[in-house]
Amino acid sequence: APQTGVLPTTAPWARSGWRISVVACGTHSPFDGAGNRHRERVRGLLQANPDVGVNLLDSAPTYGAGEAHIGEHLPTLGL
């Protein structure tokens, strides 16, 4: 039985069978930028998400370079 007063950390995603975190990592400002220092910041943010139970990234083409930076790092992080 679920514990009273404890919020769920994941929820089912439609009929996929996947469980996604109820909190997403927004990628607008933190992920949009340029330069090596920024690249390392994005990498650190992506690495930290699983540690705090986040497995959902909120992104859109209008967020600037965020999607490109995510795509650059995910294969090397094993996420």
Side-chain angles (χ1 to χ4, degrees):
Q3 296 177 347
T4 305
V6 176
L7 297 174
T9 57
T10 63
W13 188 33
R15 291 181 267 170
S16 68
W18 297 350
R19 296 202 56 90
I20 58 170
S21 54
V22 296
V23 174
C25 175
T27 62
H28 185 272
S29 296
F31 286 74
D32 187 24
N36 287 335
R37 185 174 177 193
H38 180 75
R39 278 192 169 90
E40 290 309 308
R41 180 176 177 225
V42 169
R43 183 177 178 82
L45 288 168
L46 288 171
Q47 285 176 308
N49 280 299
D51 294 341
V52 295
V54 174
N55 67 1
L56 178 63
L57 300 174
D58 172 23
S59 187
T62 57
Y63 288 2
E67 288 184 331
H69 292 306
I70 293 166
E72 176 184 339
H73 289 294
L74 286 183
T76 64
L77 294 173
L79 302 173

